[in-house]
Amino acid sequence: MSYHHLSTVEQYQIAALQQAGQSNKAIALILQRHPSTIGRELARNATQQAAATYCADAAVLCTAARRAISSQNSRTIEANT
């Protein structure tokens, strides 16, 4: 089984489905993902305001920032070896 990052479209779908009151399991079935993937996404990118709700705009920005940092770290490690 291969691993695929959640796309921006999927992040917006998660936000819309959560706002509609869908459970993590229901969202996972709709997006054809594992429920734990949805749970991790919601936990990782939940905003601190409004009782830890999921905001797709914030999630996209956080994801991009983490990827940039990860990319920088991998280049730093390669340069030191």
Side-chain angles (χ1 to χ4, degrees), residues 14 17-18 21-43 54:
I14 290 169
L17 291 167
Q18 186 192 39
Q22 296 292 324
S23 68
N24 290 3
K25 188 172 182 179
I27 295 171
L29 288 171
I30 292 167
L31 297 180
Q32 297 181 346
R33 294 287 191 150
H34 196 276
S36 65
T37 301
I38 305 304
R40 282 192 309 269
E41 176 67 15
L42 293 172
Y54 182 79

Side-chain angles (χ1 to χ4, degrees), residues 54-67:
Y54 182 79
C55 175
D57 292 328
V60 170
L61 292 174
C62 289
T63 300
R66 278 193 301 275
R67 285 183 183 166

Side-chain angles (χ1 to χ4, degrees), residues 10 14 17 19 27 32 42 51 53-54 68 74-75 77 80:
E10 288 174 316
I14 290 169
L17 291 167
Q19 284 184 328
I27 295 171
Q32 297 181 346
L42 293 172
T53 58
Y54 182 79
S74 68
R75 281 186 240 137
I77 293 169
N80 291 333

